[in-house]
Amino acid sequence: MVQLPESAAAWGTSGFTDALKGELCAMGAGQLPLQQGMSTGSHAMDTRLSVMIISIADDPDHIHVKAGLFYTGSIAGCSCADDPTPVDEHSEYCEVRLEIDKSTAATVISLLE
C-alpha cells in the first residue's frame, strides 16, 4: 500500500488529476506494477512514465481511479562481453485501478488484466 497525500488533499478541486499524475509519475517502477503489466519486454523502466486518467468515481470513503500507464521496457541480453544483443527500449502500456482512502491517503494499486 502506498500513500498519495497530495491527491487526497486535492480531491474535489480542479487540481486533482494533475496531483495524481504527478504522484504516480514520481513513484516509478518500484511501487507501480509496471513489471507485471509488461506485454513484450523483460525489464520495466520508469523513464518516460506518463499517466492517462481513464475514469474517476468516488464513494463516501474512497476515490476510485482507472488509469493507463505508458512507460518503456527493455529486452535485456546476458551482459556478456561478446553479447551481440543491444539493449532495445520499446513502449509498454498497462491499466491500473487505484483506491485512495479519502481520510488517510492510503492507496491500493491493482493491475487490470
Side-chain angles (χ1 to χ4, degrees), residues 34-42 71 73 75 90-94:
L34 302 181
Q35 187 69 35
Q36 298 87 342
M38 296 191 74
S39 59
T40 59
S42 63
Y71 58 104
I75 301 172
H90 58 276
S91 298
E92 292 280 353
Y93 173 79
C94 67

Side-chain angles (χ1 to χ4, degrees), residues 15 29 32 42-43 46 53 60 67 71 78-79 84 86 89 106 111-112:
L32 294 170
S42 63
H43 178 73
D46 51 13
I53 304 300
Y71 58 104
C78 70
S79 299
E89 291 186 8
L111 179 66
L112 296 174

Side-chain angles (χ1 to χ4, degrees), residues 19-70:
L20 180 59
K21 287 178 180 182
E23 285 188 304
L24 289 175
C25 287
M27 282 183 184
Q31 294 179 299
L32 294 170
L34 302 181
Q35 187 69 35
Q36 298 87 342
M38 296 191 74
S39 59
T40 59
S42 63
H43 178 73
M45 303 165 69
D46 51 13
T47 56
R48 297 190 303 260
L49 175 64
S50 65
V51 178
M52 174 181 64
I53 304 300
I54 298 170
S55 66
I56 303 171
D58 76 323
D59 60 37
D61 299 320
H62 295 92
I63 305 162
H64 305 278
V65 179
K66 182 178 179 182
L69 305 177
F70 297 91

